[in-house]
Every structure is written in C-alpha cells, then in structure tokens.
Amino acid sequence: MPKAIVDRPPGRSLRFGLRLPIWLYRLKLSWLLGDRFLMLTHTGRKSGKSRQTIIEVVQHDNQTDTYYVVSGWGEKSDWYQNIRKSPEVTVQAGRRKFIAQAGPVPYDQAEEIMETYAREHPAAFRELNKLFLGKRVEPGKDDAGYLAERMPMIAFHPERTV
C-alpha cells in the first residue's frame, strides 16, 4: 500500500481539536455531530488500556448495518494499529452503542465507497485530501482511488448492543 503524504502524527493543537468531540459523546450530546461521526473505544496494543477516538463515517450500509471509516494517518494511526491487534471494539454512533468486529476493506470496495462519499460530500472529500494528503482534488473515480490507496478503510460489523 502506498504511504500517505503525511508522515507525522497530528500536532498538539490539531490533536486537541480532534479530541474535543469525545466530550460531546461523554456529555450525551453526540446528536450534535449527526450521523457522520462515531466514537470508537478500542484497546491499546501496548498498554492494554481502553482508548477513545472520534472518526468520520464515510458510509453506513443500512442493509448490513456496517460502518465504514478511513485512517487519515494511514497505518501509522494509533487507533488503526490498535484495532489490527484487537479487532473487537465498542462503537457509539449517535445515541446507539454496540460491540463490533473491525476488519479491513478490500481496495475495490474501498474505492467504490470513496467515490460515493466524494459524490455525496464533495467539500468534505476535498478537505480530507488536503488535510491528510496535502493534495487538492476533485470528487471523482481517480481521486477516490488515490485516497483509497493511501488511507486504509475499516469496516465495523455490529455484533451486539451494549
């Protein structure tokens, strides 16, 4: 898999900004974020401690009830490395909370999902690429493929409600 252009983890201020939505979930205000974000609770691969992060949902398949997300920092992302080691996670999407199995999404499927995301959320797609890959893009098959190659996609398959 080609690596993302961003080789470093987020800076202190960006990390702080990205963690702010966790407080909305903790304060039972997750509805303010709508259905485009979820809170992932996962197990640290080294510490064994519970960790939380907010991730944008690129697609929710209503038929299979599967949530699809991408790792903006590629395979270097802590949450991504953690779920690769311990794929059983807790997901909170809005007011709903469930135990899920996390698994990688094959490239062809990830590209298709990113095309749909680009079509439905063109401004967010442009900003996602600019922030994480340092490249200005336009929604379309080529740039969806570019993103799918550099940002691993993960599917969360619900198993039971918490």
Side-chain angles (χ1 to χ4, degrees), residues 36 56 58-59 110-126 128-129 137-145 147:
R36 296 253 326 265
E56 183 179 6
V58 293
Q59 183 178 343
E111 182 182 36
E112 185 179 309
I113 290 169
M114 288 311 300
E115 281 182 62
T116 301
Y117 176 80
R119 206 172 33 257
E120 293 176 356
H121 308 286
F125 179 80
R126 285 186 200 96
L128 183 68
N129 278 285
V137 297
E138 290 302 318
K141 184 172 180 62
D142 291 340
D143 288 332
L147 185 69

Side-chain angles (χ1 to χ4, degrees), residues 4-66:
I5 292 171
V6 177
D7 284 336
R8 64 196 181 290
R12 192 176 295 220
S13 59
L14 179 57
R15 184 179 295 264
F16 176 77
L18 292 172
R19 294 195 57 77
L20 276 177
I22 290 173
W23 288 101
L24 293 176
Y25 278 89
R26 289 179 181 169
L27 295 170
K28 309 251 187 273
L29 297 172
S30 58
W31 56 270
L32 291 172
L33 297 174
D35 60 356
R36 296 253 326 265
F37 295 90
L38 59 78
M39 183 168 67
L40 174 66
T41 303
H42 50 98
T43 304
R45 66 193 174 282
K46 296 176 186 173
S47 69
K49 294 181 181 178
S50 180
R51 304 288 186 203
Q52 293 179 317
T53 191
I54 302 296
I55 306 171
E56 183 179 6
V57 175
V58 293
Q59 183 178 343
H60 175 228
D61 183 331
N62 289 319
Q63 287 184 321
T64 63
D65 198 23
T66 302

Side-chain angles (χ1 to χ4, degrees), residues 1-6 55-56 58 68-77 79-80 104-107 109-111 114 117 124-135 137 143-154:
M1 169 180 290
K3 75 179 188 180
I5 292 171
V6 177
I55 306 171
E56 183 179 6
V58 293
Y68 296 93
V69 303
V70 295
S71 175
W73 277 273
E75 294 177 357
K76 292 183 177 189
S77 179
W79 71 263
Y80 179 81
V105 176
Y107 172 78
Q109 184 183 5
E111 182 182 36
M114 288 311 300
Y117 176 80
F125 179 80
R126 285 186 200 96
E127 290 306 311
L128 183 68
N129 278 285
K130 184 179 172 188
L131 175 65
F132 292 111
L133 300 176
K135 177 184 174 188
V137 297
D143 288 332
Y146 180 81
L147 185 69
E149 285 176 355
R150 287 158 179 79
M151 293 183 181
M153 185 174 287
I154 298 294

Side-chain angles (χ1 to χ4, degrees), residues 74-91:
E75 294 177 357
K76 292 183 177 189
S77 179
D78 285 333
W79 71 263
Y80 179 81
Q81 291 180 41
N82 290 344
I83 66 167
R84 296 291 291 188
K85 183 172 182 193
S86 301
E88 185 173 278
V89 297
T90 302
V91 173

